[in-house]
Amino acid sequence: MAVSQTTLNRIKAAPISSVIEATGAALKRIGREYLTQCIWHEDKNPSLTVSDDKGFCYCHVCRKGGDSVDYIGQRLGLGWRDALQKTADLLSITVELVDEDPLAAARRRAEIDSARAALEADHQVFRANLKDPRAGRIRQILKDRGLTAEASKEFELGYSSQGFFSGRITVPIHDHHGKLVGFTGRATKEMPGKYKNSKDSALFNKKMLVFNEHRAKEAAHETESLIFVEGHLDVVSMWQAGIKNVVAAQGTGAPDPLVIQRLSRNLKTFILCFDGDAGGVKATEQFISVAGRLALEGKININVVTLPEGSDPDDMIRKGEDLRGLIANAPCWLDWLIDTWAASLSLDDAAAITDVEGKLKDLINGLSSKALRTHYIDKASRVLSSNDKEAAKLAKEWVSSAPVVRVKGWEPMTAWEARLRAEKRLVRLFVHRPELRQRLLPVMRQVQSPAIKWLWERLKELREVCDSDLTPHSAMAVVCVAEPHFMQQLRTIVQPTVHIDDSEGVLANLEDILERAVSFPANEPDPDQLLEGRDCRTVPGDGIVPGDSQQALF
Ligand SMILES: [Zn+2]
């Protein structure tokens, strides 16, 4: 069974920085990229560059690197297939398997290559068509829309006179690396479907694509915001007007949550600027249903522009309206939702009020910031009540009944994860603090992890002749001959640079953990690799740190 192309594409579309961060590694932002400790060599200063744009990490010292699966494979000592599974788990992606023999797989790769070549060929034809003297009417349409020759050239617009996109202006669609993957055809006369997309294929997957992402990312990073509009030609005319941090969802509905997650790594605010009609409201609600979770957790802001009834961004620019002002002053999505729902609410309709109240409670109770929660409970209560007294009562009841928000994405350590950590710390102390060895000896006999047990046997051999033979240096030599899977786990124990806390509280705590009976599950990958650095992770929101107090020691 082979891993499906869809699964591979989904993993590729996800931000590699999230994957690396999920393993507990600390990432330092440098412009649009990150720096972290290299895992391919003993790295004292972070030298691994991580780029979400390229979906790749690379070490400038040892010249190794790879994609997220390569990283996980190296970090956890896993083969490609297991590393892929682990990466998919970290991203909550289900791995789809397809029954495919090697011949069929080779055929499929050849098909992808020929599809790319065909796209390039079509692209050249479409471009030439638009320049053809017979395409005067089409060029006039673009001119009437106010599109400059410069914009047409930048976006490589074309025209298709026959075939799948017959009678349509063609807009090339690129993936986030800037590779051509398909087209959108814009109708030039009355015909069914204003926009028509290339058919979904191994190359073209609407949900995973955002039109203009590769051009907009520089400006989005500078302004820390990205504007979403509905139409591809709206993107072009805004770009022409100097608003360059702008993209369009490919097809109706919001992009895949993974795409939203990737985009949110490099900016703070999404600004939704959809058409001023029922379709625009629906598109806004769809986007919020996908991205709202990140906003509730305080990871991103979503602001919503309301355009005048019947207008799209292109109309606004052509009429000389203050689109920039509307964008700059767009309210937060929760204000927009409360106002939108309130506008359609009749205070005589008890059933409708209960319905809206339920929806608002679900949303507002999920806010991780207490201050924001109080603010919105107050606002929503006023909308749902007919007078101030009633509103105050509702708000008071709401606050007292709202559940405490737990920060998501953080799982407390299991008992055996805690134990493995303790065992590692114990050996570390044993190696680096000879004066503690007598005290630690009885506890050392209780280690259970196969890697640590193996190391302990070797360390005992070293000490057989003379205790002073056991030094961090000699322990390092032992670790160097361990099999790769053990070496990966043991490396951090003997590193001379590692910080060692040998205070009384830590020792007592280690002894306590080691005395508890916990059995190691068989065939588990080493969770410690995933836990490294967890202690220094900041907790967003109200700062509620889950887990019990003993974990603070790790
Ligand atoms: Zn390196």
Side-chain angles (χ1 to χ4, degrees):
M1 297 286 267
V3 177
S4 79
Q5 189 63 41
T6 318
T7 302
L8 296 175
N9 288 347
R10 287 176 66 77
I11 289 175
K12 266 191 203 136
I16 180 173
S17 61
S18 296
V19 174
I20 292 177
E21 200 167 48
T23 67
L27 293 180
K28 188 177 171 219
R29 182 187 280 280
I30 310 280
R32 296 180 48 76
E33 294 173 335
Y34 299 88
L35 264 185
T36 187
Q37 216 95 22
C38 177
I39 52 166
W40 279 272
H41 79 278
E42 286 291 340
D43 195 11
K44 283 181 193 150
N45 300 308
S47 35
L48 190 71
T49 303
V50 179
S51 166
D52 285 331
D53 294 340
K54 301 190 183 94
F56 213 75
C57 59
Y58 181 76
C59 173
H60 296 280
V61 177
C62 67
R63 294 169 186 251
K64 288 188 177 146
D67 61 16
S68 48
V69 177
D70 297 329
Y71 181 92
I72 293 295
Q74 174 69 15
R75 177 126 194 194
L76 304 184
L78 303 171
W80 184 82
R81 189 67 183 72
D82 289 337
L84 180 116
Q85 182 63 55
K86 188 83 215 167
T87 311
D89 290 348
L90 288 171
L91 292 164
S92 310
I93 292 173
T94 311
V95 175
E96 284 173 9
L97 297 176
V98 284
D99 213 348
E100 196 175 50
D101 60 61
L103 266 179
R107 211 162 42 231
R108 186 171 48 81
R109 277 193 297 274
E111 274 166 19
I112 291 177
D113 287 345
S114 75
R116 277 197 196 283
L119 278 177
E120 276 302 334
D122 285 348
H123 183 47
Q124 298 311 323
V125 171
F126 297 157
R127 291 286 288 152
N129 284 346
L130 191 62
K131 290 178 188 143
D132 192 285
R134 286 168 295 177
R137 182 181 72 89
I138 307 302
R139 286 194 298 274
Q140 192 58 45
I141 291 173
L142 291 173
K143 226 179 190 169
D144 290 346
R145 278 193 68 117
L147 246 69
T148 62
E150 193 201 356
S152 169
K153 196 174 161 206
E154 171 69 32
F155 286 85
E156 301 179 286
L157 303 184
Y159 177 67
S160 173
S161 52
Q162 55 186 341
F164 187 73
F165 289 111
S166 176
R168 288 171 185 270
I169 290 165
T170 56
V171 186
I173 308 298
H174 302 84
D175 64 13
H176 66 289
H177 303 307
K179 271 196 189 141
L180 179 67
V181 292
F183 299 93
T184 288
R186 167 70 156 79
T188 56
K189 53 185 179 228
E190 279 305 315
M191 55 173 81
K194 192 167 158 190
Y195 288 98
K196 184 176 183 181
N197 287 309
S198 289
K199 288 197 183 114
D200 269 7
S201 66
L203 285 179
F204 191 86
N205 180 349
K206 278 202 294 287
K207 288 272 171 210
M208 306 308 286
L209 293 166
V210 171
F211 171 61
N212 202 41
E213 183 183 344
H214 67 298
R215 285 187 203 90
K217 56 192 173 192
E218 207 63 52
H221 180 60
E222 266 165 41
T223 59
E224 300 193 313
S225 65
L226 186 64
I227 306 167
F228 268 83
V229 296
E230 272 179 72
H232 292 55
L233 292 185
D234 290 321
V235 171
V236 180
S237 58
M238 283 172 79
W239 183 89
Q240 214 175 262
I243 305 173
K244 305 214 166 174
N245 54 331
V246 57
V247 294
Q250 192 63 40
T252 51
D256 189 277
L258 279 175
V259 175
I260 304 271
Q261 196 193 339
R262 182 184 69 229
L263 293 169
S264 70
R265 300 290 295 175
N266 261 313
L267 43 91
K268 286 192 186 134
T269 308
F270 288 107
I271 300 165
L272 310 184
C273 187
F274 297 140
D275 298 355
D277 57 21
V281 171
K282 199 171 163 218
T284 305
E285 288 182 337
Q286 276 176 342
F287 195 99
I288 288 172
S289 73
V290 174
R293 172 57 47 198
L294 286 174
L296 286 170
E297 288 169 7
K299 290 181 181 147
I300 51 164
N301 308 313
I302 306 172
N303 296 344
V304 183
V305 177
T306 302
L307 294 179
E309 188 63 35
S311 301
D312 62 27
D314 179 49
D315 298 327
M316 299 290 288
I317 289 169
R318 280 197 283 169
K319 286 181 196 152
E321 304 274 359
D322 185 18
L323 184 59
R324 281 172 196 274
L326 284 178
I327 289 170
N329 297 311
C332 160
W333 64 289
L334 261 175
D335 289 292
W336 180 86
L337 268 185
I338 294 173
D339 292 343
T340 305
W341 287 344
S344 60
L345 198 63
S346 156
L347 287 179
D348 309 328
D349 187 347
I353 291 182
T354 310
D355 177 48
V356 170
E357 187 179 331
K359 286 198 283 188
L360 285 174
K361 277 191 173 165
D362 282 349
L363 281 174
I364 294 169
N365 290 348
L367 277 168
S368 62
S369 154
K370 196 178 170 194
L372 278 180
R373 210 159 56 226
T374 311
H375 169 81
Y376 283 107
I377 286 176
D378 194 49
K379 173 165 178 159
S381 299
R382 273 183 280 121
V383 164
L384 293 164
S385 313
S386 50
N387 60 55
D388 287 353
K389 204 177 148 200
E390 216 180 279
K393 184 167 168 263
L394 176 59
K396 202 175 159 202
E397 285 168 6
W398 189 335
V399 170
S400 61
S401 68
V404 178
V405 177
R406 295 292 248 179
V407 177
K408 302 264 171 159
W410 198 101
E411 295 291 324
M413 264 190 243
T414 64
W416 74 272
E417 283 172 334
R419 184 183 177 100
L420 180 52
R421 276 240 135 163
E423 291 191 4
K424 284 193 170 188
R425 279 192 85 140
L426 198 69
V427 186
R428 201 177 284 160
L429 283 170
F430 200 90
V431 169
H432 293 267
R433 292 282 183 274
E435 69 276 14
L436 291 174
R437 284 179 191 165
Q438 280 312 316
R439 171 170 174 184
L440 296 176
L441 261 176
V443 208
M444 282 307 303
R445 293 192 190 105
Q446 302 182 37
V447 298
Q448 288 181 16
S449 147
I452 311 253
K453 261 187 174 165
W454 176 88
L455 178 63
W456 178 231
E457 287 305 315
R458 303 290 88 72
L459 296 183
K460 277 197 295 192
E461 288 165 14
L462 272 177
R463 291 183 70 233
E464 257 164 33
V465 184
C466 175
D467 184 56
S468 60
D469 282 349
L470 172 55
T471 62
H473 194 79
S474 62
M476 174 72 96
V478 168
V479 168
C480 283
V481 298
E483 49 176 290
H485 185 64
F486 281 0
M487 182 145 71
Q488 187 79 20
Q489 294 186 44
L490 298 172
R491 225 173 39 169
T492 55
I493 294 173
V494 290
Q495 255 169 19
T497 51
V498 76
H499 171 73
I500 295 157
D501 185 354
D502 58 358
S503 57
E504 181 57 37
V506 169
L507 288 180
N509 188 262
L510 291 178
E511 287 162 351
D512 179 46
I513 292 175
L514 271 282
E515 269 158 27
R516 290 181 215 161
V518 174
S519 49
F520 269 86
N523 303 323
E524 280 283 342
D526 175 22
D528 201 44
Q529 299 294 332
L530 290 174
L531 294 167
E532 290 290 344
R534 188 186 253 189
D535 43 343
C536 59
R537 177 175 291 194
T538 52
V539 180
D542 290 347
I544 303 162
V545 183
D548 50 33
S549 57
Q550 91 184 13
Q551 289 171 3
L553 291 170
F554 302 94

